Amino acid sequence: MNRRYFYYLQILAIFISLQSLIIVGFNLLVDPYGIFQLITLENFNQEKPSKIKNPRLFKAIDIINLKPKTILLGSSRTDLGLDPNYPLLKAYPPIYNLGILGVNSSELRYYFEHALVNQDNIQRVIIGLDFFMFNTNRDDKPGFKQKRLLKKHLIISDFVDSTLSTNALNESFQTISFNQSPDRLSPYFLNGMSDTAYFLKYVLKNTSITKEFDRSLTRFLSDPTLYGNYTLSPERLEDMQKIIRVCQEKKIECITFISPAHALQWEAIQVAGLWPEFEEWKQDLVRITPVWDFSGYNNITTEQIDNKMKNYLDSSHYTKKVGDLVLQRILQGNETNTSNDFGVLISPTNIESHLVNLRKEQETWTAKNPDLVEYVQQIKRKVETKRLREEME
């Protein structure tokens, strides 16, 4: 090879290497996903807006660093609703909210096992369970990487993606820009819980709660991974069985509960023709472990739908206020000051009578609220009409 060309190639290689080092160093300092934490500066990188798109990454790293003894597992309902700082949880610190958007029971199990690898002295696990988690059609989300879990360190591919990728570079610039805003908010607290104020402002973009009910119910009734094409999965139930089995073997206190979504969410299940599967799911769960069921009809879940709601952000997500009531109920049981109809501990001994009572509650509620029943049915008709049009095209 001509020496002059070889010299040029050396210069080019040095230039590319220096450029790569600069990019890596820049992304390490800005740290858009909050996984390196080398520096934290106000107006530079204190708030991490990119965390909202990467919970499966940063929460895996948080577990490695924090090594919590109490973990709150679940979907975005847990993520937004359960506060690790709630006083009744303080017995076993550190406490971390491991709720993850769109999680299925398989992902839930892997994150639980990841927590165990990094903290072999976990004392308490609280798991928010949702019907959609056990849908056969609910595959792992694109952000899920099994290989990053069950490790005590950041894996190489995550390091490269977080420091050398174009996406990371763009999000570093976005992070700096976001931190210039005087009214900026953080999407997550350091304990893993979502900041509802951020969620309302940047995710829901301050749309009205009534519009969010429309959007939420439409999504659940149309999405095949939710209620649009639901099949209860034995494999998903086995994931739950494995979690409970490990907790029993390691003498970890494990409390499970069915999330207290709004009554219209249960009506969507009814309209989708899934009420028998909903009951079957509960019957299967209690064969595995006792479960606190918050899916009934009471003064919390039947809150009037308007833009001043205190209990719900949409038909699916409950607020911290409701999350506090859930924690109070499951940790204090009958000693709680909450209403006795908010949360029933179900087991094989009372599951049949409980399901009968819920059917009666559902019939009573629908009889008193025909306008809301029609509202959900109308959404279902719109979903079906859209589906037919897409099939004909």
Side-chain angles (χ1 to χ4, degrees), residues 221 264-276 297 362 366:
L221 287 169
L264 286 192
Q265 194 73 23
W266 318 135
E267 188 60 24
I269 291 174
Q270 175 78 2
V271 167
L274 294 174
W275 197 268
Y297 297 79
Q362 199 266 345
T366 56

Side-chain angles (χ1 to χ4, degrees), residues 287-339:
R287 294 189 189 102
I288 299 171
T289 185
V291 181
W292 283 92
D293 189 0
F294 290 91
S295 66
Y297 297 79
N298 50 65
N299 63 327
I300 300 295
T301 61
T302 60
E303 181 184 16
Q304 181 180 345
I305 301 168
D306 57 38
N307 293 321
K308 297 180 180 180
M309 295 181 76
K310 303 296 183 183
N311 297 336
Y312 293 94
L313 304 172
D314 56 27
S315 68
S316 174
H317 296 98
Y318 56 90
T319 62
K320 177 188 177 300
K321 172 192 171 185
V322 176
D324 286 351
L325 293 176
V326 168
L327 291 172
Q328 184 181 13
R329 182 68 168 164
I330 64 179
L331 294 172
Q332 289 188 331
N334 292 330
E335 299 175 10
T336 180
N337 293 323
T338 58
S339 172

Side-chain angles (χ1 to χ4, degrees), residues 20 43 63 78 94 100 106 155-158 162 206 209 271 338 357 389:
S20 297
N43 300 322
I63 290 296
T78 293
I100 298 176
S106 175
I155 62 173
I156 293 175
S157 62
D158 278 342
S162 302
N206 289 326
I209 292 178
V271 167
T338 58
N357 289 336
R389 287 175 179 171

Side-chain angles (χ1 to χ4, degrees), residues 128-228:
L129 299 173
D130 298 303
F131 185 46
F132 62 79
M133 287 180 182
F134 297 80
N135 187 350
T136 298
N137 299 307
R138 192 160 192 79
D139 295 328
D140 298 336
K141 290 289 184 177
F144 175 74
K145 283 186 184 179
Q146 185 177 335
K147 62 183 179 181
R148 78 159 55 107
L149 302 176
L150 311 183
K151 304 286 194 305
K152 295 185 177 182
H153 55 80
L154 180 70
I155 62 173
I156 293 175
S157 62
D158 278 342
F159 177 83
V160 171
D161 290 342
S162 302
T163 58
L164 261 175
S165 69
T166 303
N167 192 53
L169 185 61
N170 289 335
E171 292 188 338
S172 285
F173 284 119
Q174 290 171 15
T175 297
I176 295 173
S177 176
F178 181 83
N179 275 270
Q180 307 302 308
S181 173
D183 58 346
R184 61 190 178 274
L185 294 167
S186 176
Y188 284 93
F189 300 111
L190 294 178
N191 58 22
M193 183 184 184
S194 277
D195 183 346
T196 299
Y198 181 96
F199 185 79
L200 289 171
K201 181 175 181 179
Y202 294 104
V203 180
L204 301 186
K205 302 184 185 304
N206 289 326
T207 57
S208 67
I209 292 178
T210 54
K211 286 184 179 179
E212 283 307 313
F213 265 76
D214 288 348
R215 183 198 61 80
S216 177
L217 291 168
T218 299
R219 183 168 62 91
F220 271 90
L221 287 169
S222 60
D223 190 334
T225 72
L226 296 170
Y227 305 159

Side-chain angles (χ1 to χ4, degrees), residues 127 129 134 236-244 256:
I127 310 175
L129 299 173
F134 297 80
R236 297 277 187 256
L237 289 162
E238 179 61 24
D239 289 323
M240 192 66 213
Q241 177 70 65
K242 290 177 181 177
I243 293 174
I244 299 301
T256 62

Side-chain angles (χ1 to χ4, degrees), residues 21-32 44 169 172-173 176:
L21 285 173
I22 291 171
I23 291 172
V24 169
F26 178 68
N27 286 330
L28 280 171
L29 290 176
V30 179
D31 190 17
F44 177 64
L169 185 61
S172 285
F173 284 119
I176 295 173

